[in-house]
Amino acid sequence: MLAYIVRRLWQMLPTMLGVVVLVFVLFNWVGGDPAYILAGKMANADSIANIRRQLGVDQPFYVQLWIFIRQIATFDFGLSWATSEPVSNIIATRLGPSLTVLIPLTVLETLIGIALALVIAFVRGSLTDRAVMIACTVGMSVSILVYIIVFQYGLAYKLGLFPVQGWDGLRYAVLPILIGLAVSIAPTLRLFRSFVLDEVGQDYVRTARAKGVSERRVMWVHVLRNAAIPILTYVMSNLPALLIGAFLLERFFGIPGIGREVILAVERSDFPVIKAITVYVAAATMVFNLLTDLLYQAVDPRVKLS
Amino acid sequence: MVHGAWRRLREDRVAMVSLAVVVAFLLMVVLSASGLIVADWEEEVGVNYAPPSFVGGTAAVSAPAAQQQQALPENPFDPIADDIRALRAGSVEMYGVVDPLADDLAQLRAAGEGAAAGAVARRATLPFGGDKWGHDIIKKTIKGGETSIVVGLVAAVLAVGLGTLFGAMSGYCGGVVDDFFNWFYSIFTAIPSVLMILAVAAVLQQKGVLTIVLILGLTGWTGPYRLIRAEYIKHKAREYVLAADAIGASHWRKMFGHIFPNVSHVALVQMSILVVGFIKAEVILSFLGFGVPVGVVSWGSMLNEAQNELILGRWWQLTAAAIAMALLVTAFSLFTDALRDALDPKVKA
Amino acid sequence: MTLLDVRNLRIDFRVDRKSTAPAVKGVSFSVPRNATVALVGESGSGKSVSALAVMGLLDQAALIGEGSCIEFDGRDLLALDGKQRRAMCGKDMAMIFQEPMSSLNPVFTVGAQIAEVLRQHMKMGSAQARCRTLELLEEVGIPEPAVRINAYPSELSGGQQQRVMIAMAIACEPKLLIADEPTTALDVTIQKQIMELIARLQKRHAMSVLFITHDLGLVAEIADQVVVMRHGEVREAGEAKQVLTEPADAYTRALLHCRPKLDERPHRLPVIADFLGPTAVVPAQAGTHTPRSATLSMDSGVRRNDGGDGGDGGDGGTPLLEVRNLSKVFSQRQGWFGKREFHAVKDVSFTLARGRTLGVVGESGSGKTTVGLTLLRLHQASGGSVLFDGRDLLSMSAREFQAYKRRIQIVFQNPYASLNPRFTVGDILLEPMRIHRIGAGDRERKAIALNLLDKVGLPATAYQRYPHEFSGGQRQRIAIARCLTMQPEILVCDESVSALDVSVQAQVLNLLQDLQDELGLSYIFISHDLSVVKYMADQVMVMQHGAVVELADADTLYRNPQQAYTRALLAAIPQSG
Amino acid sequence: AAPVKTLRYILPAAEASFDPALGRDYYTGHITEAIFETLYTYDYLARPVQLAPQTAAALPEVSADGKTYLIRLKKGTYFTPDPAFGGKPRELTVADYVYSWKRLFDPRLASPNAWLLEGKVVGLDALAAQAQKSGRFDYDAPVAGLEILDPYTLRIHLTHTDFNLGMILAYEPLSAVAREVVQKYGDSKGEVAGHPVGTGVYKLGEWIRGSRIVLEENTGHRPQVWDFQPSAEGDERIVQQMKGKKIPQIGRIEISVQVEDQSRWLSFISGGADVFWLEGALAPKALADGKLKPELAQRGVQLSRIVDPELSYYYWNMQDPVVGGFSKEKVALRRAIAMAHDVDEEIKLVLNGEAQRLHFPIPSGVAGHDPNYQPLLRYDPVLANQLLDRYGYKKGADGWRTQPDGKPLVITYTSRNEANGVLMAELWRKTYNRLGIRMDNQRMIFSDIQKAEMLCKVQSRTYQWLADYPDGDNFMQLFYGGNIGQNNNGCYQDAQYDAWFEASHRMPPGPQRDALYRKMARQLEVQAAVMPAFSRYRNMLAQPTVLGYKKHPILHQEWKYIDIKD
Ligand code: HEM
Ligand SMILES: Nc1ncnc2c1ncn2[C@@H]1O[C@H](COP(=O)(O)OP(=O)(O)OP(=O)(O)O)[C@@H](O)[C@H]1O
Ligand SMILES: Nc1ncnc2c1ncn2[C@@H]1O[C@H](COP(=O)(O)OP(=O)(O)OP(=O)(O)O)[C@@H](O)[C@H]1O
Ligand SMILES: [Mg+2]
Ligand SMILES: [Mg+2]
């Protein structure tokens, strides 16, 4: 087990290296030149040269790449170019609000998705099933931008059910979570339903019925335990991406999270922040994949980690 | 096989209705692209933010329509309006600065005064309202649909094409090739797609609709890749491929002559899923400022414009674009579901 | 004294919104108490569906027709509601399914799955259920039950999985046990053990068993009564002895005759059509098909292909193919650098003469297919040489070998899988000719293809159709036709008939025989079915764990097996009449 | 004690560094201005704006040649207590200002504000050059031009005549920071981004970066009483509401950062903000024809509307081979484009009417503005087309014009890739369409535009310049040839203009300088190098409970001068 984990971590190196090089090339080669923003409205060639020197962007590429790799190795990405805030501090402070929204969102989404999927799979083929599926599809087809604009306007402002925006604890997270749910539950439900249906058709389900097990137990015990495997993969692999993907919610509701920070950083050509977040999220993705595989073993005895 | 799929599809009423909607949209795209309809969408036929006719041109719009109809707008609050009028007459204090074009302009003024273009009367209301410039929202929505759908389709073709090619090579060749593509894949998937899109957008700068297609295509290939690769690995071990080998077929022939027809349904389904995804993604791209260039309209750019209009009580652009998009996307998704079932070899009629 | 009485059972399947297709058309049979009834019949005849109907496990697409009646222990099952039905399932009647692996829930331990029945029906506590589970595992012969009780299905072998299924089924000592082809997925040797186990349990627990199979050989060993089904109807029912020895129905007779027997070697095997067609005749009187050696004992050694090149068995004739020390190692990568090696074929040597057949037998996984594929360079050999007309195929360049691909061909283990499902039969047949530039143009190639279709007994209309539109036997013939387009000299037939129904199997074997007679082909005939190999081969090679255990003249081998392994294989063959 | 009065405010963008030396954006400026103090500030009510002492005891004593400034400090101004001071009260001295100004030249800090003093103070530039070479700034080295007479008196010697230094000293990058604080909290560059310690009325309280900033009253601030004179109608009410009150009345400012327009507006209208910056896109929500909508007026919402001291202008790159140059046909091309551009439409549609047409390069409210200036470039598309015809920009069969030499004519208009940039580009496309000239819209992120501009690579763009200090010089320098590569983005260089500018630069404000400015403006117009377009309105809304509020054109915020009803 330990050997497996060590080996998997070892295997992450080439991928990480690829991510690093890709990020580096993209942002050093093509990204905007921060010096021109930092130089202010009365910039001149000298001051720009000075800024470039201070930032180290006047160094040859290989030196910069080496610095970047050293930063990753030491978990110290230096200071944000735009705000001079230590990058590690940015990530630490933005993570909390992001997770405050994302964790309840993911948990609710998964639980509701599973419950509905099992119920719907049970009545598969019926009118209810089709109606729910079509409703889901319609729900999915509306852009998240529209959801946010309309929900914020309607629920928060017109009806006054929630604070319009702001960030001061969980109360402010409720509406973003609700919108997140409204947007994500439809595709999740569709997906989970297909996972469940895949299992319902399996022979072992017939065996369970042959044993005289009740229909409820068949669904909630036999089927769910098996469907949990693809569900787990989906949920786990989605998490890191969600961290960034929630930027629209974060922007509209003024949540000081990671997603908004990334967009802001791109707008400001704040490379240390972008690079750090990318590397961290890539690492998180890989670690989550590993976690998923470890969890697999807990759920699915057929999986042998070796 | 194809025949059976089509028959199964025809029996599905939802699928057929969806297909009809999709075809209607595609028809609209063709007509608008060939200039047969809505070629004049850019004409400013209404007053700005003309409300829909069924709502009526009430106080919702503050700008008086009459002001628009002047040939040369003149600001009534302009404190120097008199000076401007004086200017028209010709003389103006030059503070001792010489105008190199003075003679030319004097001659031209003398030659043809007043050939001002006659401004068209603008309508106070439009069937489904107007936008900021007074464009007809219906026409704009159709024109926007053209861009969005074309972007979705072409980007999906690109993404699925890349994904299929890489997936085929990776799955078929295995070994080092597979390792390489997998490495590439894990890099692409480790970086969240938003970041990837921003990065690629930054690389490609703004060059128009093609850029959007490239951005989406270059970041969207991972999904098809994973599936196609898995299919290729599965099929490579199938005996019909060994059989093809036994009769002396070349690798290329086996990859694309034998295996591809068997996995093409995966590519097809992926493609229709991506079309939907990309139409939606274009909205977000617009929001992030990587949208269509000026003079081109898409649903994404409309929704993005409409963001600020909703709080001003001008809901029609948002509604039109959102409904058009929802309709197409719903129909496309439902059709995709049906197609997936119909093409699924496991489901036998 | 009947336990289960099925009367006039009719089952239709919903095809689409409007139409239905009948699967079972008014079947009646009964199972007496404490007896074994075998339900036999060809694939798709409605055996499983009938059994599922008894258990109440049919899926939603199935409609049980009016007037159908299933009476169990005096109660009308069809009149019960779901809950009452459920209470009986697993307790009064239990079922064992065809595929043990997929029928066990992969994510629960086998102990938990057995205990679930006990807790459900016997209201046992967990400790008590565990005790009983251990007993059951012991009883079905699982070694070390205390350890295995915590094992997951994937950690058990196929035979053990099937035993777990049986343990689960007998846990509540049901009155009726339905076994739906419980051994088809298993090896011959394991098959035998399972059959014995069921027979033993039946006696000990005084159960009734409804045993479903299509193998009449098995039936003779265990059944008291036999019910023969075809096309959703019962063709014949009665005491086992009587049905098997004096079949009244033509179909039953056909089933009994189509299977090659160890003790006789007819030149042609009878096929179902011979019995059921308009000109159906009793086999004994069918002149052309009279088994030539029906009266000869094994010892007489009359060779079927004595009209061949006159050579005598394996030692005669010019060796066309000579295989020396062929070996194949599969290495699986583990991680980035690690490797795990697996010797699938070890030092296999044999020779094959023109116009002769080499049979290759051995249990599943013994390396038979690998030998075949390696010969054709479809797997890269790890060592040894394959001399074809004196030239080593394995050391040639790919370009040189291309020419030899024409001369040595293989019919794959599973014909359906080896035909590209998206190609028409025409595409399938033309492609090799295009690649090898046989024939002047597509028109000429098409003529060759049609001619071959005719030769393998398929209609010309087959040309435009897709593989899935054919039956298993027909597909096998398409696969053979594809090989023949290249006019090979050696044909490797890998389990060419094992996946087929007895009746179809006979057709294909006959075809191969005819082709050998006509074209002088050499065969390497791979199978794990010793009766079939006996029928086809001049020489037999027995393989185990990748190595050759025994290689001998066919008759010699069967009469006088030298190795224990060969004897075990032979003993496992069901001794049907 | 009485409950602390709280004012809620919304910033439309995230804050950056709180170190005044690095202040580079308007939003962060709100906060640095509240925490730190400059020597001078502006009178709250006087219009046109008037310089007023802040930490200084009085306005500077300027020598007749405009080269020497004598500055005296008020006594008894203290920094807010901080561990960096070792528990002792720390009084502000002129040395703190000298230190703070020197920081602008520290190469490690790379301050964007060095230009404020660059080339002005005797000896400072030499020190900066030396630091540039060694990489380290020697703060202890004396500067001849910054003569500390005693802790409360400073004499500044300038290299050349400059009557604007007083206003520059009111600019918040020149506020005082304490050296101890920089040494204790400064980062590797010496920047104190997150730990602002100043002498201002407020100090930093709770802070969630990019989301929420709370300012609390600095109770140790030197006592100050509200006493301003009315200068315009409506001011009396303010005076009445505020006169004699202690500064500040509001003890706590809660600032939240909200990027999206909709969120911001919904926040204000549902009572989530007391003072609200009503920006362009939102203006129609609250205003109709420049007046508060009746429903808001009824609720008692107050509007303070001013014209920003800002110039929005279009420029064409004078070094560009297609649009640039002084030859007649190039001038004609640019003049034609300028004449075909409907600025009124732009104001109406793009800016939602929230701007005032401006013909002169110096906006109103800024010294040197001429309200009676008669423009030469005016909207006349017909004439514009005729002018092009005359100069050989022929229309091809496809309806598009070519250059006189027959080469295709395509002009690129650059804008930012956000909503307003798109709208402006759309309008410009209409302009070019009117002329039959093909237009390409290049949309870039801000830093890329800056870079391209600085390298004279942008063909045409709309540019905004907000007054750093309310003097015409701050605007006329935009077109000075010496500033190419700095902020003369059109890369305009004309000997005549440069000569006039240099002359005006040395003059105190007055009619003589104004006359020169008119010539310069006319010169710009005649050559059509740039076209002044408009100044934006700034609309601030205040809830009915807010007392004494009036938007100041230069100050970022007026928190300390206002009050809130209990
Ligand atoms: C180097 C730091 C700064 C950056 C990166 C920056 C960024 C920007 C940008 C991108 C624009 C839009 C201009 C356009 O459309 O081309 C803008 C406009 C503006 N800036 Fe700045 N700015 C900076 C410094 C300042 C300062 C120091 C002030 C005030 C003293 C200021 C006040 C304004 C104003 C009033 C506008 C017009 C508002 C509008 O967009 O409607 N900016 N700024
Ligand atoms: N779920 C189903 N839907 C539609 N048709 C079905 C279904 N299950 C079985 N059938 C049809 O019912 C008929 C009888 O099937 P059944 O499974 O009973 O055959 P069988 O005799 O058990 O054959 P085998 O020996 O291959 O197991 C077949 O024609 C089959 O196609
Ligand atoms: N591509 C492969 N990679 C790894 N191992 C393989 C591969 N192909 C076959 N094997 C292994 O080699 C052994 C021999 O396989 P082979 O297919 O030759 O058996 P077989 O005798 O044909 O069995 P069956 O009767 O089931 O067809 C098996 O244990 C199998 O698992
Ligand atoms: Mg069956
Ligand atoms: Mg095999």
Side-chain angles (χ1 to χ4, degrees), chain C residues 113-174:
Chain C
Q113 296 188 56
I114 297 173
E116 189 179 18
V117 198
L118 294 168
R119 300 173 70 168
Q120 179 85 20
H121 295 293
M122 315 296 270
K123 306 283 173 261
M124 287 186 184
S126 65
Q128 205 185 354
R130 190 181 161 85
C131 263
R132 176 78 183 117
T133 305
L134 281 173
E135 281 171 30
L136 284 166
L137 289 176
E138 181 94 53
E139 187 170 1
V140 296
I142 301 246
E144 295 184 85
V147 178
R148 297 282 145 75
I149 191 170
N150 292 325
Y152 289 95
S154 54
E155 293 163 0
L156 301 180
S157 75
Q160 288 172 334
Q161 287 169 4
Q162 193 57 287
R163 281 161 202 262
V164 170
M165 282 290 298
I166 293 171
M168 204 187 297
I170 62 167
C172 301
E173 314 214 339

Side-chain angles (χ1 to χ4, degrees), chain D residues 2 33 88 93 104 130 159 169 242 253 271 293 309 341 354 356 360 372 410 431 469 490 508 511 513 518 521 536:
Chain D
E33 194 181 70
K88 280 172 284 192
T93 67
L104 303 185
Q130 193 190 330
T159 51
L169 294 182
M242 299 299 300
I253 317 278
K293 283 196 171 163
H341 189 64
E354 290 308 308
Q356 194 181 59
F360 197 65
N372 298 318
V410 180
T431 299
Y469 48 89
R513 196 179 71 162
R518 276 192 287 274
R536 295 173 197 224

Side-chain angles (χ1 to χ4, degrees), chain D residues 268-280:
Chain D
F268 171 73
I269 203 67
S270 55
D274 298 304
V275 174
F276 184 70
W277 181 358
L278 186 72
E279 282 177 300

